[in-house]
Amino acid sequence: MYRSHTCGELRATDIDSEVTLSGWVQKVRDKGFMVWVDLRDRYGLTQLIFDEERTPAEVFTRAKELGREYVVQVKGKVIEREAKNDLMATGAIEILVEDLQVLNSAKTPPFTIEENTDGGEDLRMKYRYLDIRRNRVKNNLIFRHKVSIAVRNYLSEHGFIEVETPYLIKSTPEGARDFVVPSRMNPGEFYALPQSPQTFKQLLMVGGMDKYFQIVKCFRDEDLRADRQPEFTQIDCEMAFVDQEDILSTFEGLTRFLLKEIKNVDVDSFPRMTYDEAMKKYGNDKPDIRFGMEFGELNAVAQNKDFKVFNEAELVVGIAVPGAASYTRKEIDALINWVKRPQIGAMGMVYVKCNEDGSFKSSVDKFYDQEDLAAWAEATGAKPGDLICVLSGETHKVRTQLSALRMELAEQLGLRKADEFAPLWVVDFPLLEFDEESGRYHAMHHPFTSPKKEDIPLLESDPGKVRANAYDLVLNGNEIGGGSIRIFDKDLQATMFRHLGFSKEEAEEQFGFLMNAFQYGAPPHGGIAFGFDRLVAILGGQETIRDFIAFPKNNAGRDVMIDAPARIDNEQLEELQLEIKQPQPEA
């Protein structure tokens, strides 16, 4: 038996017990006649004491040779600790060691295995198995497990059946790029890794499995950010004989349950907002509604004056920043420089200070009088003591720019609090969006999303105005879930494919299996998929999903620990009948 107890288990009630512990050496403090060792496993720390007088000589000698991260087993007696440590769960006791076995020695790790580590992110990713020993990463993985169990329990109790769908599927032209897998047994042909189990879960509805879910790995070959990985996990769900209200009600229930179960937070309100309203008020389709700073459109009160910049703009729009009228010129200049960065792309920013006495001071006083600026304050909801920040330009671009500024200011002002949760449904997305480069429409969600019934006639006359029977669940400014009611009528699906630029032959080649299934009695159905990595991160008070994934990839999509992706040898290439073109040397 390697251990009778874990390193986080023993308390004062265990004093005088004979115990066996195993774990890693966290720290050694050698005082000559006495050695203290902090022993760590995933459950906690226990202090060991080796005493020159009370510990057998050969054991005492071995203790002096211990290094950090050695794997050891000790046997000894639980005694009361003289200098108690209230910060440790085991801080009232220590183990007087009688026997020590070194199970494995260890090289000195490349960074300290402690909360305040000296290892940078790249180094810790290379040695991720060591990073997992740190409490922060270890606890994140335990937290992820806790959330996944809660999800499974809730959905199982509500009649959902977990069904595994294939990982080796067929590549489709819609959506992000696929990861492809060559088939040795079918030379020249390729599988794709699924971006989602979309068509399979619809086929399960045709098969009569009316409530499906799966916590499933998905893959997208796309550019990465802090909240994106080439492989990610979804809570994938589908229901039959439902409409949008059924879906929203069911998954409001799941979200409420998780917030209560995991965070002990009660959330009653799940407000709804149309896509158009979200874009107009917040400049994006996943607004953080924990704070104000709603957009105020200023065309009516800022144009047709002598200020050419505003007169030539498609949209003039501003936000009121609470309490920021006290900002110094240096602080305001920093904001102006921030919006002018290439990542944001604004040409500049106009500002108005709303003084406590009711007067206004702006960067455009030459063009606007106090009455004009008062109208700006009314349009943005600004109060005395606030700062109005105004941008102008092409509608879509300026909304995106002001949205980024709003979030940056909220961070600076401490308005995005990790322990506050504000869910929101965004509904009525456009069904299609026109791509200027390809000269055709693309599905804003995917080709199987149903249009709103009342908008179906517009498919022929004005497809850009058709609204989707789709919905996103937003939490604290992050999209955590998205879904739609699906098309279940083969004729409507064929019409959708036509508007997306598929010929009948292309639609049959890509999706014929689904269309054929619909001929055998497809029920009305719809679903949703939660981004599980992102959901766990937000519940954990963070927004970077990498910290909640055991073995993540870096921003280049590489696993620096195992050095993947990597080349394969010529013999494997020949088996797959593939030829890799080597880069040609420069002339």
Side-chain angles (χ1 to χ4, degrees):
M1 182 173 65
Y2 280 107
R3 57 187 179 185
S4 61
H5 298 77
T6 68
C7 293
E9 185 177 351
L10 298 168
R11 302 290 187 270
T13 53
D14 297 298
I15 288 173
D16 292 333
S17 299
E18 295 289 337
V19 299
T20 303
L21 301 181
S22 293
W24 288 264
V25 172
Q26 170 96 359
K27 190 180 295 183
V28 178
R29 298 181 296 282
D30 188 345
K31 298 298 183 182
F33 62 92
M34 196 170 287
V35 178
W36 286 275
V37 173
D38 288 342
L39 189 67
R40 180 191 72 243
D41 62 13
R42 86 164 165 98
Y43 304 95
L45 285 174
T46 297
Q47 180 170 286
L48 313 177
I49 182 169
F50 299 83
D51 188 328
E52 194 172 39
E53 295 183 359
R54 295 178 289 175
T55 302
E58 67 277 10
V59 174
F60 188 74
T61 300
R62 283 202 296 273
K64 285 179 166 288
E65 297 170 352
L66 292 176
R68 282 167 44 203
E69 301 308 311
Y70 274 41
V71 185
V72 302
Q73 179 193 54
V74 298
K75 296 180 181 179
K77 187 177 183 179
V78 182
I79 62 174
E80 186 175 3
R81 186 166 166 171
E82 287 188 14
K84 294 179 173 58
N85 185 347
D86 293 335
L87 300 179
M88 285 175 60
T90 60
I93 59 93
E94 58 190 359
I95 310 300
L96 179 60
V97 178
E98 299 164 0
D99 183 51
L100 165 67
Q101 298 296 325
V102 176
L103 303 176
N104 225 329
S105 60
K107 289 175 61 176
T108 301
F111 55 88
T112 54
I113 315 295
E114 295 181 9
E115 288 309 286
N116 297 319
T117 183
D118 54 359
E121 184 176 30
D122 289 342
L123 183 64
R124 288 186 287 108
M125 286 185 71
K126 184 175 181 180
Y127 296 94
R128 185 64 165 182
Y129 46 86
L130 296 180
D131 203 25
I132 290 172
R133 295 180 189 175
R134 295 172 56 234
N135 280 337
R136 176 175 175 175
V137 181
K138 174 198 73 178
N139 290 337
N140 282 348
L141 296 181
I142 293 170
F143 182 80
R144 181 186 177 103
H145 162 75
K146 183 179 178 182
V147 177
S148 72
I149 292 296
V151 168
R152 281 191 163 95
N153 288 343
Y154 179 89
L155 293 175
S156 296
E157 289 170 6
H158 285 76
F160 285 79
I161 304 298
E162 185 163 17
V163 181
E164 294 177 87
T165 53
Y167 280 153
L168 295 175
I169 65 169
K170 187 177 184 178
S171 183
T172 60
E174 289 291 315
R177 296 184 188 92
D178 288 324
F179 282 102
V180 295
V181 181
S183 171
R184 178 183 61 81
M185 294 181 289
N186 301 277
E189 297 185 330
F190 296 82
Y191 298 106
L193 299 179
Q195 297 183 34
S196 86
Q198 180 61 45
T199 54
F200 289 100
K201 64 181 181 179
Q202 291 189 249
L203 291 170
L204 286 169
M205 297 303 103
V206 176
M209 301 292 290
D210 68 332
K211 287 186 175 182
Y212 143 92
F213 87 98
Q214 187 179 187
I215 299 182
V216 60
K217 188 75 75 176
C218 300
F219 307 86
R220 289 179 189 167
D221 187 7
E222 60 184 354
D223 296 335
L224 306 178
R225 303 195 298 265
D227 62 342
R228 292 277 175 88
Q229 288 277 296
E231 51 181 315
F232 57 97
T233 304
Q234 286 186 177
I235 308 169
D236 199 60
C237 304
E238 197 81 2
M239 302 170 71
F241 302 109
V242 292
D243 58 20
Q244 179 173 298
E245 286 302 317
D246 297 315
I247 301 285
L248 269 53
S249 175
T250 298
F251 293 98
E252 280 182 18
L254 172 61
T255 308
R256 279 196 185 93
F257 173 78
L258 291 176
L259 287 168
K260 183 64 176 178
E261 183 78 4
I262 304 298
K263 304 298 294 184
N264 197 29
V265 170
D266 291 303
V267 175
D268 295 324
S269 176
F270 280 72
R272 298 183 190 182
M273 185 180 297
T274 67
Y275 170 85
D276 287 343
E277 185 183 0
M279 296 303 294
K280 187 172 182 177
K281 284 186 174 181
Y282 299 101
N284 70 71
D285 58 4
K286 48 182 184 297
D288 190 336
I289 59 170
R290 287 175 294 179
F291 55 95
M293 287 195 274
E294 290 186 9
F295 289 10
E297 296 193 354
L298 303 175
N299 289 33
V301 292
Q303 291 183 328
N304 302 315
K305 301 287 182 178
D306 293 331
F307 191 47
K308 185 178 179 182
V309 173
F310 283 0
N311 290 340
E312 293 179 350
E314 187 177 359
L315 176 66
V316 183
V317 62
I319 54 173
V321 187
S326 59
Y327 275 22
T328 64
R329 182 57 193 263
K330 183 178 179 181
E331 289 173 311
I332 293 174
D333 285 345
L335 290 180
I336 295 171
N337 291 332
W338 191 89
V339 299
K340 290 169 72 173
R341 296 181 311 150
Q343 302 95 312
I344 307 301
M347 298 300 292
M349 184 186 86
V350 168
Y351 69 88
V352 181
K353 288 188 173 185
C354 303
N355 299 320
E356 295 289 353
D357 63 3
S359 65
F360 302 94
K361 176 64 180 173
S362 82
S363 56
V364 286
D365 281 346
K366 179 180 177 181
F367 304 99
Y368 297 94
D369 59 27
Q370 292 290 297
E371 186 178 339
D372 293 327
L373 299 178
W376 293 17
E378 183 178 356
T380 58
K383 298 178 176 57
D386 291 352
L387 176 73
I388 304 172
C389 298
V390 182
L391 301 181
S392 63
E394 187 270 319
T395 297
H396 178 72
K397 287 182 180 178
V398 77
R399 282 175 173 169
T400 301
Q401 292 160 358
L402 191 60
S403 175
L405 177 61
R406 175 179 180 268
M407 296 295 276
E408 172 65 17
L409 285 163
E411 290 284 357
Q412 292 183 15
L413 297 169
L415 301 177
R416 303 192 71 208
K417 298 175 182 176
D419 58 351
E420 290 183 9
F421 297 93
L424 166 75
W425 286 109
V426 178
V427 298
D428 292 357
F429 286 84
L431 181 70
L432 305 167
E433 53 187 348
F434 192 77
D435 181 62
E436 298 286 349
E437 190 173 325
S438 63
R440 66 183 181 91
Y441 283 101
H442 290 266
M444 191 160 184
H445 284 72
H446 54 64
F448 316 108
T449 297
S450 173
K452 290 275 189 178
K453 286 183 180 179
E454 58 269 31
D455 289 357
I456 290 176
L458 293 173
L459 276 171
E460 300 301 335
S461 60
D462 197 350
K465 288 189 176 179
V466 179
R467 294 169 300 161
N469 205 342
Y471 33 82
D472 280 358
L473 181 56
V474 176
L475 184 63
N476 295 0
N478 294 271
E479 178 203 331
I480 61 167
S484 66
I485 299 301
R486 321 303 185 188
I487 297 171
F488 68 98
D489 176 80
K490 62 182 178 59
D491 293 332
L492 180 57
Q493 186 65 74
T495 300
M496 184 69 171
F497 286 146
R498 177 164 54 82
H499 282 289
L500 293 173
F502 290 93
S503 67
K504 286 185 178 180
E505 294 73 21
E506 288 170 335
E508 176 64 28
E509 181 184 351
Q510 294 292 336
F511 304 110
F513 65 94
L514 184 65
M515 302 294 282
N516 289 337
F518 282 5
Q519 297 180 81
Y520 292 94
H525 60 283
I528 192 169
F530 284 74
F532 184 64
D533 308 297
R534 191 175 300 167
L535 173 63
V536 171
I538 294 169
L539 291 175
Q542 301 174 49
E543 292 188 5
T544 304
I545 66 175
R546 207 181 282 156
D547 295 337
F548 292 84
I549 297 173
F551 299 103
K553 307 289 190 292
N554 68 9
N555 282 347
R558 294 197 65 84
D559 187 323
V560 295
M561 183 183 68
I562 64 173
D563 194 23
R567 293 184 182 275
I568 60 175
D569 62 36
N570 288 331
E571 185 177 335
Q572 286 177 287
L573 289 173
E574 288 172 8
E575 278 189 335
L576 297 167
Q577 298 192 29
L578 293 176
E579 182 180 347
I580 304 296
K581 291 184 178 180
Q582 300 295 341
Q584 296 298 314
E586 293 183 10

